Amino acid sequence: MKILENYSLKNHNTLAVDCYCDQFAEIKSLSDLEALPKDIKITEMLIMGCGSNILFTENLSRFVVQFKPRKHITIVDNLVVAWAGTPWNDLVNWAVNKNLGGIENLALIPGLVGAAPFQNIGAYGTELQDSLVWVEVYNWQTGLYHRLSNEECLFSYRHSIFKYHDQPWIISRIGLDLRNDKPVNISYQPLQEKFAGQSKNPSFKKVAQAVTEIRQSKLPDPYKIPNAGSFFKNPVIDSQVAQRIQRRHKDLPIFETKHCEGQKTSAAWLLEQCGFKGHREGDAGFYDKHALILVNHGNASGQDLLKMTKMAKRAVKIKFGIVLEEEVRVL
Ligand code: EPU
């Protein structure tokens, strides 16, 4: 494993922000993990998948470890076990081609398997936590591996124990319970529309294809228009707040959800009402087909992008009294 000094991360984050880190190492295998220096402090380490959920706002005095994309999937004790460096969508395709269900609604989510538990990835009514059985972590300070059960991961909406940053852990593998008798979930409106008049029980592969088409129709390809997916989380509000807003805005979207208490509303809708859909200043802006996607139209710096997100947050707070929370990790 090579350690590079003063290294540019521009080609390693999907928002294409130029930023330098003190040291950089690429992980291809367990032996690369085990070769990492043991004396790196937790606050000095940054572990990255393919950088599809991160906004760099300044140079980093850190040791950056990035997994090289490499598909490695096996079946052990009836569980599907995937190496952290496996591209997430390769795992979804592998599963649906074997008629194994559970993650088909998570098709085309960018990123690598190791990053998936970090924010409990979710889409179209399904979250990773619904299928995940364990997460294996490597402790770079002790050199030991440890397994956390689903409960120990403390999953909630776009959240997990891995976001607390207080353990020297690098996710190395995950174990999933994917089965051919799992029920498909096409309850989300866009999926219902896709399957209207067709079988109520489409195959996992058909569901993954439908999700892929929906995502492609509204989300920009990060390798064509640099972005990091949804920039903010959808806010969870209580019914009094919802009623207050609905007095003026009858069309406020409200989604009941099994994954969190209260009601979720749409951050994209709030941003659109504040005029941010398609809004652009210099090269920083929000996508014109989906207001929740922060985009870099060319050479926006991390600070330009950060300024745009702060402006959007302030506008939503003033107009609706709702504080948006970042989904993307801001560093
Ligand atoms: N909407 C607007 N304006 C827009 C876009 C959407 O008002 O410009 C409203 C519409 O009412 C629409 C609703 O927002 O019905 C929901 O939009 P969409 O289905 O696109 O989903 P989302 O709530 O914006 C969430 C996830 C996505 C996930 C989709 C589908 C979060 C923060 N985002 O987005 O995840 O793909 O649902 O399930 O929960 C990601 O995390 O990076 C991500 C893309």
Side-chain angles (χ1 to χ4, degrees):
M1 183 190 60
K2 250 208 232 144
I3 298 178
L4 304 166
E5 309 275 335
N6 196 25
Y7 186 78
S8 169
L9 297 170
K10 187 168 167 70
N11 296 327
H12 298 265
N13 70 98
T14 60
L15 271 167
V17 168
D18 200 10
C19 144
Y20 282 78
C21 64
D22 284 359
Q23 287 169 307
F24 179 85
E26 198 174 52
I27 301 293
K28 299 185 208 73
S29 62
L30 288 179
S31 56
D32 282 344
L33 278 182
E34 290 159 15
L36 285 169
K38 294 202 165 30
D39 58 354
I40 308 172
K41 296 199 186 97
I42 292 167
T43 49
E44 290 168 354
M45 179 73 114
L46 174 66
I47 301 131
M48 283 173 67
C50 61
S52 56
N53 204 50
I54 204 156
L55 168 59
F56 294 123
T57 61
E58 56 188 12
N59 290 336
L60 302 174
S61 307
R62 295 204 196 202
F63 193 116
V64 175
V65 164
Q66 186 168 45
F67 280 81
K68 188 177 169 64
R70 180 174 71 86
K71 178 172 150 187
H72 191 265
I73 308 164
T74 49
I75 296 184
V76 182
D77 296 337
N78 288 325
L79 294 186
V80 172
V81 177
W83 162 244
T86 304
W88 173 261
N89 200 44
D90 285 2
L91 176 60
V92 174
N93 286 331
W94 180 94
V96 299
N97 283 328
K98 290 200 154 28
N99 197 30
L100 294 173
I103 53 172
E104 57 284 354
N105 290 30
L106 309 181
L108 210 66
I109 293 186
L112 304 182
V113 159
F118 191 82
Q119 62 151 349
N120 183 24
I121 57 171
Y124 303 100
T126 300
E127 289 186 347
L128 176 69
Q129 71 174 102
D130 302 329
S131 301
L132 185 131
V133 179
W134 51 255
V135 174
E136 179 189 79
V137 292
Y138 172 71
N139 182 322
W140 77 81
Q141 292 180 348
T142 62
L144 298 174
Y145 291 87
H146 174 66
R147 264 187 199 181
L148 282 88
S149 67
N150 182 311
E151 291 69 32
E152 287 171 322
C153 292
L154 305 177
F155 288 125
S156 59
Y157 169 56
R158 295 294 194 277
H159 200 78
S160 75
I161 193 170
F162 307 106
K163 282 199 171 177
Y164 294 124
H165 307 298
D166 55 359
Q167 298 290 342
W169 288 342
I170 301 179
I171 294 171
S172 48
R173 296 189 305 169
I174 65 172
L176 298 170
D177 179 22
L178 305 178
R179 278 183 271 125
N180 59 16
D181 60 355
K182 285 213 172 174
V184 288
N185 174 5
I186 52 168
S187 59
Y188 241 58
Q189 190 64 27
L191 282 172
Q192 277 188 23
E193 286 163 15
K194 279 264 176 205
F195 289 107
Q198 294 182 38
S199 152
K200 287 212 163 48
N201 269 312
S203 66
F204 302 125
K205 194 170 182 168
K206 283 252 153 57
V207 175
Q209 274 164 356
V211 168
T212 301
E213 284 166 21
I214 296 166
R215 287 186 77 95
Q216 281 171 336
S217 71
K218 58 170 130 183
L219 300 174
D221 177 345
Y223 298 101
K224 293 193 182 127
I225 305 178
N227 74 87
S230 301
F231 191 83
F232 296 107
K233 292 185 196 175
N234 281 328
V236 177
I237 55 176
D238 64 35
S239 53
Q240 280 172 335
V241 174
Q243 279 166 18
R244 170 176 61 74
I245 298 174
Q246 276 165 335
R247 263 182 246 134
R248 282 205 194 167
H249 303 273
K250 297 217 171 353
D251 53 343
L252 174 79
I254 291 290
F255 312 108
E256 301 298 336
T257 159
K258 66 176 171 141
H259 290 114
C260 61
E261 305 255 315
Q263 300 166 311
K264 250 195 230 167
T265 186
S266 157
W269 184 88
L270 297 169
L271 289 163
E272 185 170 342
Q273 299 306 306
C274 293
F276 282 91
K277 189 169 184 168
H279 181 68
R280 174 174 176 173
E281 288 185 22
D283 279 343
F286 284 94
Y287 191 46
D288 56 3
K289 296 201 198 91
H290 200 298
L292 193 48
I293 316 290
L294 180 72
V295 291
N296 181 354
H297 290 286
N299 289 313
S301 67
Q303 286 296 326
D304 297 336
L305 293 163
L306 182 67
K307 198 170 132 208
M308 178 59 74
T309 68
K310 284 188 174 166
M311 229 162 65
K313 258 179 109 158
R314 203 174 312 124
V316 169
K317 172 79 175 38
I318 291 169
K319 193 169 168 91
F320 296 103
I322 293 178
V323 177
L324 292 180
E325 220 182 285
E326 289 73 11
E327 183 200 292
V328 166
R329 191 166 173 197
V330 179
L331 282 177

